[in-house]
Amino acid sequence: MWYNMRERRGFLDLRQMIRRTIIVVFTVFTAVLLSGCLRITADELYRLPQVSEEYQKLQQHINSVLNQGAEFSPPTGGPNRQAVQLEDLNGDGKNEVIAFFSFPGDSSLKVYIFEMIDNDYAVAAVIEGVGTEIDSVRYVDMNGDGVMEIIVGWKMGDSLKHMTIYSIQDFQCVLLAGAEYTGITVYDLNGNGNDDVVALRLSSADSAAVAEVFTLMPDGEVVKAETRLSNGIEKISRVLTGRLNDGVPAIFVESEGKYDKGTLVTDICTYQHGNFTNISLRTPSGISEENIREFMQCSDINKDGVIKVPIPGLLKAQSETAYHTIDWYSFNSSGHSRLALTTYHNNTDEWFLILPLDWRDKVSVRREDAVSGERTVVFSYIAGEDRPYEDFLKIHRLTGDKAEERAALPGRFMLQSEGATLFVFELLAAPNSLGLSFDEAIIRGNFRLIYSDWLAGTI
């Protein structure tokens, strides 16, 4: 699934609109009743509030379409999936109603736009397409004129999808551009304050995998540019939008394939001075080789506004169990990377620690889970090849009836609580000893919880 968090959400289908109207009317009604300002009979008390006249009229218009042999056909993907949606398309402060239908009799698909005129709805425009179903819809003001463009994705078969961009200025639907696609994302790539549309397409027998960007100019002209994605990608699994370490907007296309160093590769694409470029394609192989790894997804891991690419590293072992760090690399607009930070992730206990730079190659970890309700990770200093490891930090995850009691044991400091789960730590050596940076402030400042939407193999 490809989506932009800035895109509008929360469109309601007709039943939801009616339900909310009933709730609001009933709430006001109850408040008046309790105030003692209204006398009412028992029969009147149990009578349901009436749906507003405008929604009744809208239902009539929708029924007239359904009576022509149509069926509701809501988008099956993307951020907006209701059969009936609300959106202020022309910037006049009033929502239009957008409804999605299929017509099994002639295998057509139609998007109806209803406009409110004099307390009644009327059909303002109809967008027609062909295919098996509507894949997605997005509403984007691509040129800053206050009127939304509508981007519709049509499914043409099991694997073929076609995107169309429509202008609806004065509710005259004009086709601006179209393209076959595997996925769509929306983002302001050129930094002019208006969102652009990016279509991603896997390779075929005739062409390589590409990303295409569509920009709408103030005069209504669509400018299109494309750049290649890595050779060998078989599935586009995720697209992330964000900024590089020099502030340039970029899209991060994460794709699956079979490579010597792993199964996931990230292509980083920017749109600068009219040039759409995959800045991570820096080798003759046609693959973003620096960004190949096993399945860990990009993230703004430390919330500084810059997207990083994770590359795992193996810690020196104290047992047969393998433990890893993750090096997070940021990129600039020329495609050059630098190490931004290193983390240790404990997905089982749902926390991670940002490791100070002077811990690099000098620290190992192991688990200690001998106490019921207490899961512990021990950090040790590697003094030398033939010298014993020196423990200097323990982080505990405490659960159960005795969690608070064990958190209060001497030498333990609270990190964070999450419901009935407590996270605490102990320093086993003097702060900032062993040639390492660590004290209470550093551990507290570098500790983070992992939330469920980060998991599923992402980090």
Side-chain angles (χ1 to χ4, degrees):
M1 179 188 301
W2 294 267
Y3 60 92
N4 186 324
M5 293 302 294
R6 294 169 52 197
E7 292 178 334
R8 292 166 174 81
R9 296 187 177 187
F11 302 108
L12 303 175
D13 62 21
L14 190 58
R15 290 174 298 176
Q16 290 173 313
M17 292 190 289
I18 293 172
R19 189 179 299 115
R20 286 194 172 186
T21 301
I22 292 173
I23 291 172
V24 170
V25 173
F26 188 75
T27 301
V28 174
F29 172 82
T30 303
V32 173
L33 178 64
L34 293 177
S35 69
C37 299
L38 181 66
R39 297 182 181 276
I40 193 167
T41 67
D43 289 340
E44 291 171 325
L45 177 64
Y46 290 103
R47 185 180 302 150
L48 288 175
Q50 296 298 307
V51 178
S52 68
E53 182 179 355
E54 63 183 60
Y55 288 124
Q56 290 179 347
K57 292 178 178 178
L58 174 60
Q59 183 68 66
Q60 292 173 2
H61 288 289
I62 289 177
N63 286 342
S64 69
V65 180
L66 295 172
N67 291 337
Q68 298 171 29
E71 298 176 355
F72 281 121
S73 182
T76 58
N80 309 310
R81 303 191 186 190
Q82 295 79 19
V84 180
Q85 303 178 14
L86 297 179
E87 180 71 25
D88 181 5
L89 297 174
N90 58 3
D92 64 355
K94 297 185 297 183
N95 283 329
E96 280 66 52
V97 175
I98 304 95
F100 302 84
F101 301 96
S102 63
F103 289 77
D106 59 8
S107 300
S108 65
L109 300 165
K110 294 183 181 181
V111 180
Y112 276 72
I113 301 173
F114 297 95
E115 180 187 17
M116 172 68 76
I117 302 176
D118 297 331
N119 297 319
D120 194 3
Y121 282 96
V123 177
V126 179
I127 297 173
E128 298 189 34
V130 294
T132 58
E133 59 188 12
I134 298 171
D135 178 63
S136 64
V137 65
R138 290 166 171 81
Y139 312 99
V140 184
D141 183 0
M142 295 177 63
N143 62 354
D145 65 354
V147 178
M148 295 292 180
E149 281 65 51
I150 299 183
I151 298 93
V152 184
W154 314 89
K155 278 190 177 180
M156 315 299 289
D158 292 338
S159 59
L160 180 61
K161 294 188 285 188
H162 189 78
M163 176 200 74
T164 49
I165 302 175
Y166 293 93
S167 167
I168 56 162
Q169 188 77 42
D170 299 322
F171 293 112
Q172 300 298 311
C173 291
V174 178
L175 177 62
L176 299 177
E180 292 183 8
Y181 73 95
T182 303
I184 301 172
T185 193
V186 175
Y187 187 55
D188 180 11
L189 265 177
N190 59 9
N192 67 354
N194 303 318
D195 280 333
D196 309 305
V197 177
V198 180
L200 308 165
R201 186 169 63 250
L202 288 175
S203 60
S204 66
D206 301 323
S207 61
V210 298
E212 293 180 282
V213 61
F214 298 83
T215 300
L216 184 59
M217 307 305 291
D219 62 1
E221 178 188 2
V222 173
V223 177
K224 183 181 79 169
E226 73 173 47
T227 187
R228 289 186 57 164
L229 301 177
S230 286
N231 292 333
I233 62 175
E234 300 171 350
K235 175 185 177 182
I236 298 173
S237 58
R238 181 174 180 251
V239 176
L240 194 63
T241 59
R243 294 190 175 272
L244 304 175
N245 59 32
D246 52 5
V248 173
I251 62 169
F252 295 72
V253 184
E254 300 191 318
S255 306
E256 297 176 42
K258 297 180 177 64
Y259 303 100
D260 291 340
K261 298 179 181 178
T263 58
L264 189 72
V265 62
T266 299
D267 291 298
I268 305 172
C269 304
T270 65
Y271 189 41
Q272 304 175 78
H273 313 296
N275 296 315
F276 192 36
T277 307
N278 186 342
I279 61 171
S280 54
L281 282 183
R282 298 172 54 84
T283 63
S285 67
I287 302 171
S288 297
E289 293 181 353
E290 186 176 356
N291 297 336
I292 295 175
R293 73 271 184 197
E294 294 302 332
F295 201 78
M296 292 179 293
Q297 293 184 334
C298 298
S299 173
D300 177 10
I301 188 70
N302 60 343
K303 307 302 180 186
D304 65 353
V306 177
I307 305 299
K308 290 96 179 168
V309 177
I311 302 296
L314 189 64
L315 284 167
K316 291 188 177 180
Q318 300 185 48
S319 66
E320 294 181 356
T321 303
Y323 296 94
H324 296 83
T325 57
I326 300 175
D327 289 333
W328 297 87
Y329 288 90
S330 63
F331 287 75
N332 66 18
S333 53
S334 297
H336 298 289
S337 65
R338 71 181 183 199
L339 178 64
L341 70 159
T342 300
T343 59
Y344 166 75
H345 282 72
N346 183 346
N347 286 340
T348 302
D349 297 341
E350 300 179 335
W351 60 264
F352 73 93
L353 189 70
I354 300 173
L355 307 184
L357 291 178
D358 58 16
W359 290 25
R360 192 173 180 82
D361 300 323
K362 298 178 182 178
V363 169
S364 182
V365 300
R366 71 176 188 276
R367 292 204 66 96
E368 288 184 355
D369 297 332
V371 179
S372 177
E374 183 168 314
R375 297 177 60 86
T376 301
V377 171
V378 183
F379 290 80
S380 306
Y381 170 63
I382 304 171
E385 290 292 336
D386 300 323
R387 299 175 61 183
Y389 291 3
E390 299 181 41
D391 300 340
F392 67 94
L393 170 66
K394 287 185 177 182
I395 295 179
H396 308 278
R397 180 183 187 270
L398 307 176
T399 56
D401 296 337
K402 296 185 178 180
E404 292 187 4
E405 176 183 331
R406 297 200 62 78
L409 290 175
R412 294 190 171 184
F413 303 92
M414 179 65 68
L415 281 168
Q416 204 163 335
S417 62
E418 186 75 5
T421 301
L422 305 180
F423 297 88
V424 301
F425 72 99
E426 296 179 66
L427 296 181
L428 307 178
N432 300 319
S433 62
L434 307 175
L436 302 177
S437 299
F438 65 94
D439 57 26
E440 292 180 36
I442 290 174
I443 303 305
R444 284 198 175 99
N446 290 12
F447 180 84
R448 304 282 193 279
L449 293 183
I450 298 173
Y451 293 99
S452 58
D453 57 341
W454 296 1
L455 296 177
T458 59
I459 53 178

